[in-house]
Amino acid sequence: MNSITDFKYIKYGSKLQTYCPNCHRGLNKKYPQKGTEFVEVGIEYSGNKGKLKLSPYLNIFDVELTIDMPEGTTAEDIFCPYCSQSFIVDTRKCELGDHKIAKIYVSAYSRLLPFYICAQKGCTWHGLEKEDEGWLKIRIPRQKMTEQDPYMRIMNFDEVPLGLRMEQAALEAYRCMQCQKPMCIEGCPVNIDIKEFIGCIRENDMIGAIRKIKETNSLPAICGRVCPQEIQCEAKCILGRSEEPVAIGNLERFVADYERAMGVHIPPKCPRTGKKVAVIGSGPSGLTMASEMLKCGHDVVVYEALHELGGVLVYGIPEFRLPKEIVRQEIDYLKKLGVVFKTNHVIGKIYTVKELFEELNFNAVYIATGAGLPKFMGIPGENAPGVFSANEYLTRMNLMKAYMFPRYDTPNPRGRRVSVVGGGNVAMDCARTALRSPGTEKVSLVYRRSRDEMPARKEEIVHAEHEGIEFHILTNPVSINQDKRGNVSSITCIKMKLGEPDDSGRRKPVPIEGSEYEIGCDMVVIAIGTGPNEVLFQGTQEMKRNKWGYIEVDPSTGRTSLDGVWAGGDIVTGSATVILAMGAAKEAAADIDEYLRKS
Amino acid sequence: MYPVIEKTLIAENTICQFTVKAPEIARKVLPGQFVIVKATNEGERIPLTVADKNTEEGTITLIFQVIGKTTAILRNLGIGENIKDVVGPLGKPTHLENFGTVVCVGGGTGIAILHHLTKALYEMGNEIISIIGARTKSLIIMEKEMGLISHQLLVCTDDGSYGTRGFVTDLLKDVISKRQDVKQIVAIGPTPMMRACVETAKNPYIPILVSLNPIMLDGTGMCGVCRCTVGGKTKFACVDGPDFDGHEVDFDELDKRLRMYLIQERESLLSSIK
Ligand SMILES: Cc1cc2nc3c(=O)[nH]c(=O)nc-3n(C[C@H](O)[C@H](O)[C@H](O)COP(=O)(O)OP(=O)(O)OC[C@H]3O[C@@H](n4cnc5c(N)ncnc54)[C@H](O)[C@@H]3O)c2cc1C
Ligand code: SF4
Ligand code: FES
């Protein structure tokens, strides 16, 4: 029998976040009207089952019971309202005598601590176990999103991770140490106030959390899913020095999804300035610019070449990674705010940039046309039917929904054995899309550097491996071979080794002579990168561009060499990330606003 | 949304002519350029060459042969109904000048596109010899219109039901052998026809312009499905073309690439009949 001295008391007045030790579900709840919180557990007394509500604050002892129970009697059982597992662990001596004791978990100090409650009515005894090996070891592990099973998911196009559950999000938020000098914020390209938004989640204030994020990032449901967090915010997280960093991206996704489920609040229109801004391209950069301009009171028209809005978010990134419904909702939101979208408008063709000023009287133009020109390798056999650029393959499958062929009319490329060349997100997306297509038996991925150097997000690489994609790393294709009928029959590759570092600081792969081998395949997808599309520049040839053809801008403002024209996103940087494209728009927006107010 | 203003069915209902309201496109489009059309939400994107335009009315004319599911859906649209998406003008306008004597060869629906170019060439003062052909009499289109802008019009059908019996290349050979002053040939029609015309124009060598019709998706240079080898280099027909120097085109490759989705096209048609 333990004595009282074995227990350590938690500071009075602090609020507890409580969890079931079995199913890990949170026991904290809120009264819908009052908004105040309580802890709810199941209770059994003389055969009746009911609910026991406790205050989560340690200095308040008001207890609500739904069953009759005389003062001084002891409950037979205290149990989890979700999984019904009993919390009773022991009969111990508390301050008033020997009583049954129930154990739950509370989170504090980035740990899960066992917390004890006495089962006798009227007894206010409760406490933490003594600071010993017992509780220091129970860390809250980084919460993992439930995922579709790899064997199941390769047969559908549904999203792979299913998101954090509410109680997981709370647990994860409690892992954050709320550091004095948080580093994570610096790691985020748009400097989301990560500490604050996680703080809101800890307070169970999801709406506060999403508002905090949206102060700096207007597309959190998207960023939470596609940002490479492991090299951004999570790389800087201080907790990450001793254990796994806080799952910032997953929390961002969680609160954004929470908001979408609850209904998005539409702010009132701001006073109009009468100035008109044209945005070319409806990718993340263009969309961010549109929302920023609206906030400043300028009218916005977004021109998009394709028949659908969203840029890479709809034509490139597949459904199983970013459901198109999410992109659609973000765009609907902008439409409600008053952004005018014009699809089927290829600028450079239907209007030149100059005509936007001269004929349509725009006061400023923002170019966000992305890097959409597919690169090929220039090896023999590349124009054979059965060889696709990643853009073609993904556009067919995602934008045109060929994965639902023949319900959708666009033909779907088919291969029994598919080879994908490349190591970025695009290559992973192609490989995993191919794997999910009916009739595919094997997918191999050919990449010329090592696995560590793959530019894809960690999560995507891991998912691809779990799904059974065969990786040929340090391997470079030298030719694509055809059979007599002209169909692709195999791809000849050469092994590579890492040599001296090149300009980018990465070690340059060099071929190992005589190491050629063949990979049998009947379809090849080339995902080795993209360049700038020339169409836009028709009629605006004088715009200054760098040696790769990307637009040259003032890095802090996004101004181009033409007056009244700004640019940002992939058309400036080359293929980069969603969040960088958004960040560029944000910076340019401030400058455009200033320019418009002066003019 | 792009409403159909006028609709005519010709050549035993296999060829359809649409006048579509698209003022922004009409004000910009030049001969040789095309649009990408997507008929419905579930539809595919197909390229159609603009056969004519009316800037005052803000309309463009599209002519297409009903061959697959998409063109069948389009044919079934009535006047006043909408085409969901029309993007354009795309591609480079055809390079036209006063060459002197020009032979314009057209086959099937290619005649409609050829008409647009021929008109421009005629107005520039070229001497026009036009050759048009089709499988059978009922499929010959725009004969009268071509006649108005040609100094000489030759017609042939494969089955001899109208005009000369034979292929357009037979007539082309004839013209070339009789006239030494042919400076340029323009050939627009099915790929085998253009290919045969190019063969004919090799000896004696005469410059020949062909308008390629590879499979397209976006039409803006973003996907590369329309890539062709021209003069040993890979070109994207939707942005670098669709017109190319016929002597430089790798027709073998084009042929193969055109057959890339044959199975799917058949399945698509079958599923739409079911
Ligand atoms: C398959 C794939 C997967 C990716 N995965 C990730 C990821 O996981 N995480 C991440 O951070 N990044 C990822 N990226 C990169 C990211 O999507 C891009 O960096 C980002 O979308 C760039 O945004 P943007 O607004 O500059 O351009 P885009 O998103 O490319 O949008 C440009 C838009 O402009 C339109 N346009 C082009 N020319 C014209 C014209 N002349 N007139 C009118 N409109 C025009 C285009 O049709 C397009 O809609 C991925 C990219 C691809 C292709
Ligand atoms: S660095 Fe990590 S632990 Fe610290 S505040 Fe940021 S997220 Fe929380
Ligand atoms: S049709 Fe896509 S690049 Fe030409």
Side-chain angles (χ1 to χ4, degrees):
Chain A
M1 187 119 336
N2 297 331
S3 73
I4 309 167
T5 51
D6 287 344
F7 296 90
K8 177 193 173 196
Y9 291 87
I10 234 177
K11 199 167 88 201
Y12 269 31
S14 47
K15 193 175 98 186
L16 300 177
Q17 206 65 36
T18 56
Y19 301 93
C20 165
N22 294 306
C23 67
H24 285 204
R25 285 204 180 81
L27 303 171
N28 285 37
K29 279 194 162 178
K30 255 188 192 164
Y31 289 108
Q33 283 99 17
K34 288 185 272 181
T36 49
E37 262 185 64
F38 59 89
V39 176
E40 186 182 83
V41 293
I43 188 161
E44 186 177 344
Y45 175 70
S46 71
N48 296 327
K49 281 189 180 170
K51 285 193 172 129
L52 166 66
K53 293 177 181 175
L54 304 155
S55 163
Y57 295 97
L58 264 178
N59 51 348
I60 308 170
F61 302 110
D62 56 344
V63 172
E64 253 183 75
L65 252 181
T66 59
I67 50 170
D68 273 342
M69 195 174 151
E71 202 75 11
T73 55
T74 304
E76 277 137 37
D77 196 7
I78 291 183
F79 55 90
C80 172
Y82 303 104
C83 68
S84 303
Q85 283 276 351
S86 174
F87 292 151
I88 303 291
V89 283
D90 216 341
T91 302
R92 303 186 186 196
K93 193 173 160 58
C94 85
E95 283 165 330
L96 300 180
D98 282 357
H99 300 131
K100 277 192 185 139
I101 299 225
K103 179 176 101 172
I104 57 172
Y105 277 168
V106 299
S107 60
Y109 318 114
S110 176
R111 306 278 182 275
L112 269 189
L113 315 180
F115 185 80
Y116 297 88
I117 313 166
C118 178
Q120 191 202 58
K121 189 164 179 196
C123 175
T124 56
W125 184 89
H126 48 254
L128 285 175
E129 206 164 347
K130 197 184 155 197
E131 181 178 352
D132 59 17
E133 10 128 46
W135 67 264
L136 273 178
K137 276 192 191 141
I138 317 170
R139 292 185 164 158
I140 309 176
R142 183 174 156 119
Q143 298 297 302
K144 288 207 169 62
M145 296 190 280
T146 319
E147 287 178 356
Q148 273 200 72
D149 182 86
Y151 292 104
M152 291 301 290
R153 70 189 189 223
I154 59 171
M155 291 186 276
N156 64 48
F157 279 83
D158 299 340
E159 198 175 9
V160 171
L162 305 173
L164 293 172
R165 282 174 280 123
M166 181 71 109
E167 60 277 8
Q168 283 185 300
L171 274 179
E172 189 61 40
Y174 270 92
R175 295 183 66 228
C176 171
M177 302 181 292
Q178 296 285 301
C179 315
Q180 290 289 315
K181 285 203 191 94
M183 302 295 291
C184 45
I185 302 178
E186 281 171 33
C188 171
V190 296
N191 303 119
I192 295 179
D193 195 340
I194 294 167
K195 176 180 164 183
E196 278 301 309
F197 102 74
I198 294 183
C200 289
I201 303 178
R202 291 162 70 114
E203 294 297 316
N204 222 339
D205 177 11
M206 304 304 167
I207 296 301
I210 192 71
R211 295 245 163 94
K212 197 83 221 162
I213 299 177
K214 283 202 167 169
E215 281 174 14
T216 36
N217 180 338
S218 47
L219 306 171
I222 295 169
C223 290
R225 288 175 166 81
V226 304
C227 271
Q229 288 96 4
E230 70 275 8
I231 56 166
Q232 296 178 357
C233 48
E234 292 179 19
K236 295 273 170 99
C237 172
I238 294 169
L239 187 63
R241 294 174 193 176
S242 51
E243 52 181 291
E244 280 194 279
V246 177
I248 301 169
N250 294 352
L251 286 175
E252 183 179 12
R253 168 188 165 145
F254 173 82
V255 286
D257 287 354
Y258 181 92
E259 188 203 29
R260 288 195 303 119
M262 303 307 262
V264 177
H265 154 87
I266 296 187
K269 271 199 171 180
C270 349
R272 315 309 308 160
T273 60
K275 295 275 161 54
K276 274 171 66 183
V277 181
V279 174
I280 312 175
S282 64
S285 201
L287 293 179
T288 306
M289 177 57 77
S291 94
E292 290 298 310
M293 285 297 99
L294 223 59
K295 275 190 216 155
C296 301
H298 311 305
D299 290 332
V300 193
V301 181
V302 178
Y303 290 99
E304 168 56 51
L306 293 170
H307 59 272
E308 201 136 337
L309 301 163
V312 167
L313 306 178
V314 294
Y315 82 71
I317 304 181
E319 180 76 18
F320 56 81
R321 204 143 76 73
L322 178 63
K324 299 304 151 243
E325 181 58 20
I326 294 175
V327 184
R328 201 185 55 75
Q329 285 184 8
E330 296 293 355
I331 288 165
D332 278 353
Y333 173 74
L334 288 179
K335 280 186 188 160
K336 282 192 196 132
L337 289 182
V339 178
V340 177
F341 287 101
K342 296 221 180 244
T343 50
N344 299 331
H345 279 65
V346 184
I347 302 301
K349 288 290 185 186
I350 198 160
Y351 296 104
T352 61
V353 173
K354 276 206 194 99
E355 285 169 342
L356 290 177
F357 289 106
E358 289 161 9
E359 282 188 32
L360 300 176
N361 304 320
F362 282 102
N363 304 98
V365 170
Y366 180 66
I367 301 176
T369 50
L373 185 83
K375 279 192 193 142
F376 289 94
M377 289 177 291
I379 59 173
E382 222 171 5
N383 288 352
V387 182
F388 304 87
S389 75
N391 271 4
E392 180 190 351
Y393 185 56
L394 292 174
T395 303
R396 280 181 187 278
M397 297 303 273
N398 299 327
L399 180 73
M400 306 309 294
K401 305 226 183 320
Y403 70 90
M404 291 194 259
F405 180 86
R407 197 147 79 70
Y408 283 76
D409 297 340
T410 303
N412 51 351
R414 297 173 190 176
R416 200 161 58 80
R417 292 169 304 164
V418 180
S419 278
V420 178
V421 183
N425 285 317
V426 186
M428 298 300 153
D429 286 347
C430 291
R432 296 173 66 204
T433 303
L435 197 67
R436 283 162 170 72
S437 304
T440 310
E441 286 165 14
K442 199 188 89 179
V443 178
S444 41
L445 188 119
V446 178
Y447 179 57
R448 64 196 180 113
R449 297 175 195 257
S450 66
R451 184 183 182 279
D452 290 342
E453 284 160 306
M454 283 190 172
R457 293 176 81 216
K458 253 298 169 19
E459 192 187 358
E460 311 312 330
I461 300 174
V462 172
H463 279 158
E465 284 173 336
H466 283 174
E467 289 168 9
I469 286 162
E470 191 180 286
F471 280 46
H472 294 251
I473 51 162
L474 285 167
T475 301
N476 207 21
V478 286
S479 72
I480 296 166
N481 313 312
Q482 289 156 265
D483 63 15
K484 285 196 288 295
R485 301 218 306 284
N487 299 324
V488 173
S489 60
S490 70
I491 172 165
T492 305
C493 297
I494 189 162
K495 279 276 171 205
M496 311 288 276
K497 59 174 188 242
L498 291 178
E500 296 299 307
D502 63 7
D503 303 341
S504 69
R506 293 192 294 181
R507 289 174 67 196
K508 202 179 148 122
V510 285
I512 304 172
E513 235 159 278
S515 66
E516 287 90 347
Y517 70 106
E518 277 189 36
I519 303 173
C521 60
D522 48 10
M523 173 173 151
V524 177
V525 182
I526 301 185
I528 56 162
T530 50
N533 193 326
E534 292 299 315
V535 170
L536 170 81
F537 301 102
Q538 297 190 358
T540 347
Q541 295 297 356
E542 68 277 21
M543 184 174 300
K544 255 210 197 129
R545 297 197 275 152
N546 65 18
K547 64 174 174 187
W548 299 282
Y550 296 113
I551 301 178
E552 267 189 23
V553 299
D554 174 335
S556 59
T557 61
R559 278 185 195 228
T560 67
S561 59
L562 300 185
D563 187 40
V565 182
W566 282 256
D570 284 4
I571 187 62
V572 170
T573 55
S575 273
T577 58
V578 170
I579 192 70
L580 286 174
M582 291 172 59
K586 198 104 189 173
E587 275 170 10
D591 195 48
I592 296 178
D593 185 41
E594 208 183 303
Y595 170 90
L596 291 178
R597 284 181 195 279
K598 274 190 205 144
S599 66
Chain B
M1 291 293 188
Y2 302 80
V4 178
I5 306 289
E6 270 172 46
K7 172 180 170 181
T8 326
L9 289 171
I10 37 183
E12 294 177 342
N13 295 350
T14 57
I15 295 177
C16 186
Q17 175 171 344
F18 270 2
T19 307
V20 179
K21 186 122 196 138
E24 284 170 303
I25 301 175
R27 70 175 240 301
K28 257 308 187 50
V29 66
L30 293 170
Q33 288 190 303
F34 65 94
V35 290
I36 293 259
V37 171
K38 180 166 173 285
T40 58
N41 256 334
E42 295 78 27
E44 60 176 329
R45 295 166 64 104
I46 57 161
L48 294 176
T49 306
V50 178
D52 209 348
K53 65 167 172 183
N54 184 332
T55 326
E56 283 96 65
E57 305 274 319
T59 59
I60 54 173
T61 305
L62 304 175
I63 298 187
F64 53 89
Q65 194 170 8
V66 181
I67 32 173
K69 184 174 172 191
T70 307
T71 42
I73 293 171
L74 280 173
R75 177 185 56 190
N76 293 342
L77 287 179
I79 293 175
E81 288 188 283
N82 288 311
I83 304 180
K84 176 119 194 319
D85 298 287
V86 180
V87 199
L90 301 170
K92 287 206 176 109
T94 309
H95 169 75
L96 299 172
E97 60 178 275
N98 191 338
F99 297 103
T101 306
V102 183
V103 183
C104 297
V105 189
T109 35
I111 303 172
I113 302 145
L114 185 73
H115 172 254
H116 201 191
L117 294 184
T118 311
K119 198 160 110 192
L121 285 168
Y122 181 79
E123 281 160 7
M124 285 174 175
N126 287 289
E127 184 186 353
I128 311 282
I129 303 168
S130 297
I131 303 171
I132 58 175
R135 245 185 12 255
T136 180
K137 180 178 177 190
S138 56
L139 298 179
I140 295 279
I141 59 167
M142 302 187 90
E143 188 192 351
K144 208 168 83 221
E145 290 89 337
M146 285 302 288
L148 290 176
I149 50 170
S150 310
H151 297 92
Q152 192 186 350
L153 175 69
L154 304 167
V155 186
C156 65
T157 49
D158 299 1
D159 61 1
S161 54
Y162 188 66
T164 322
R165 182 195 195 104
F167 301 114
V168 286
T169 37
D170 301 335
L171 291 176
L172 179 62
K173 263 185 213 137
D174 233 35
V175 172
I176 296 173
S177 62
K178 282 193 198 130
R179 309 243 342 207
Q180 312 302 316
D181 60 340
V182 176
K183 289 281 157 14
Q184 175 78 40
I185 302 171
V186 179
I188 302 178
T191 310
M193 183 211 96
M194 292 194 284
R195 180 180 203 158
C197 290
V198 170
E199 285 309 314
T200 313
K202 284 222 152 77
N203 195 13
Y205 180 92
I206 302 170
I208 176 167
L209 193 87
V210 292
S211 175
L212 301 189
N213 52 352
I215 297 173
M216 289 193 189
L217 183 56
D218 60 297
T220 64
M222 183 264 258
C223 74
V225 66
C226 62
R227 62 191 189 277
C228 306
T229 304
V230 180
K233 290 205 185 76
T234 298
K235 298 271 181 193
F236 288 3
C238 70
V239 287
D240 304 320
D243 299 330
F244 291 104
D245 174 357
H247 293 295
E248 301 274 319
V249 173
D250 181 342
F251 278 101
D252 272 338
E253 186 185 279
L254 179 65
D255 239 16
K256 275 190 220 147
R257 292 191 62 82
L258 275 170
R259 280 185 272 117
M260 197 153 64
Y261 290 114
L262 268 191
I263 300 173
Q264 284 92 327
E265 276 156 25
R266 216 168 294 144
E267 282 175 21
S268 179
L269 207 58
L270 276 178
S271 80
S272 70
I273 293 166
K274 251 187 255 162

